[in-house]
Amino acid sequence: MQSEADAPKSFHVAIIMDGNGRWGTRQGLSRADGHRAGAEAVRRCVEAAPGLGVTTLTLFAFSVANWRRPDPEVAALMSLFRAYLAADARRLVENGVRLSMLGRRDRLPPDLAAEVETVEAASAGGGRLSLRIAIDYSSREAIVAAARALGGAATLGGLERLIGEAGPVDLLIRTGGEKRLSDFLLWECAFAELWFTDRMWPEFDADDFGAAAADYRARVRTFGALPPKAGVLQPA
Ligand code: IPE
Ligand code: IPE
Ligand code: MG
């Protein structure tokens, strides 16, 4: 395994954590049980990330579109976010993890929004991993907000500063078998490598994370240029 020392300077992984509900139902449990098991997968990934060279980990926990789910499921998810913060805040700080939240805060239960702020402040000094959790998040809304803020002065660089302040996504993982972005980090994923797995999020473990990272490292990223050693046109 690659050590933290020889890892590249920045490696941003984003994960669409999908499949909790189906996993719960297939186990003969509830969808909420699936979400609870999903929180364990979050813990495994946060722990494994630095060892894989990941410096920024952005997790999609709740989309703007997810408000369309039945009230009891939404309430169960909000309770779970609260429970995660209460249970893990201290461990995050001890492990040098800086937590921040993406997305709207004004529609969250006020005590949850306050708890997010408390953990963000407490963990602000963490330099080992930046953990970003997207709750009530829509990438298209983030892009609209940034464009509005810049108005007629909108430029690629200006939008990049407002939207992509955590840097571009290098590797996007989606569990649960679907192959779509569901309004997650559309701007930041402009040149991301994509990795999909049929494994449901509660099943996802450090070995799966390692397999995705290894697959990523074997890819050649060209950003529109040519791959190394292909730069010289051979005479016909
Ligand atoms: C992802 O799992 C978690 C959230 C969207 C909150 P799902 O709840 O979408 O699980 P499936 O896709 O229905 O199995
Ligand atoms: C995407 O999963 C959102 C999160 C993982 C939080 P969904 O299950 O909500 O996405 P769709 O409905 O399959 O596009
Ligand atoms: Mg889903």
Side-chain angles (χ1 to χ4, degrees):
M1 200 209 291
Q2 184 163 24
S3 77
E4 281 179 57
D6 52 36
K9 276 207 164 9
S10 118
F11 180 25
H12 184 175
V13 176
I15 308 183
I16 301 175
M17 310 185 289
D18 197 21
N20 291 349
R22 279 167 287 162
W23 181 88
T25 309
R26 285 175 197 171
Q27 303 293 311
L29 305 167
S30 66
R31 291 182 56 86
D33 288 326
H35 294 310
R36 266 189 289 281
E40 292 303 321
V42 169
R43 292 189 172 102
R44 291 195 290 271
C45 288
V46 170
E47 202 163 299
L52 295 170
V54 177
T55 52
T56 302
L57 180 63
T58 306
L59 303 177
F60 204 5
F62 191 87
S63 69
V64 163
N66 288 148
W67 290 111
R68 301 170 68 193
R69 295 190 180 197
D71 290 347
E73 178 162 346
V74 171
L77 282 163
M78 295 300 154
S79 297
L80 193 59
F81 299 147
R82 241 183 245 113
Y84 175 79
L85 292 175
D88 283 44
R90 183 204 283 237
R91 189 169 11 170
L92 295 176
V93 173
E94 284 171 359
N95 290 333
V97 178
R98 180 172 80 250
L99 181 126
S100 56
M101 206 202 101
L102 278 77
R104 287 179 63 161
R105 299 184 183 206
D106 58 307
R107 298 190 293 194
L108 298 184
D111 63 327
L112 174 58
E115 187 61 18
V116 167
E117 265 184 45
T118 303
V119 180
E120 283 178 333
S123 68
R128 199 155 159 259
L129 174 71
S130 167
L131 172 64
R132 308 188 326 139
I133 303 193
I135 299 177
D136 200 3
Y137 173 83
S138 153
S139 182
R140 289 181 302 176
E141 286 188 8
I143 292 169
V144 168
R148 279 217 182 104
L150 293 171
T155 59
L156 199 58
L159 286 165
E160 182 68 27
R161 187 168 40 75
L162 287 183
I163 305 167
E165 99 290 343
V169 171
D170 297 301
L171 170 65
L172 176 90
I173 295 172
R174 182 170 187 147
T175 60
E178 310 297 344
K179 296 183 178 66
R180 54 177 172 255
L181 295 178
S182 301
D183 200 9
F184 187 47
L185 304 177
L186 303 178
W187 176 280
E188 296 89 328
C189 283
F191 286 95
E193 297 292 330
L194 310 179
W195 195 85
F196 299 102
T197 174
D198 288 336
R199 301 259 283 164
M200 298 292 136
W201 176 247
E203 302 169 325
F204 195 81
D205 62 18
D207 287 344
D208 296 314
F209 201 176
D215 190 82
Y216 166 82
R217 295 200 190 284
R219 298 187 191 184
V220 178
R221 303 183 77 192
T222 53
F223 300 95
L226 297 179
K229 296 198 185 108
V232 182
L233 272 181
Q234 300 299 321

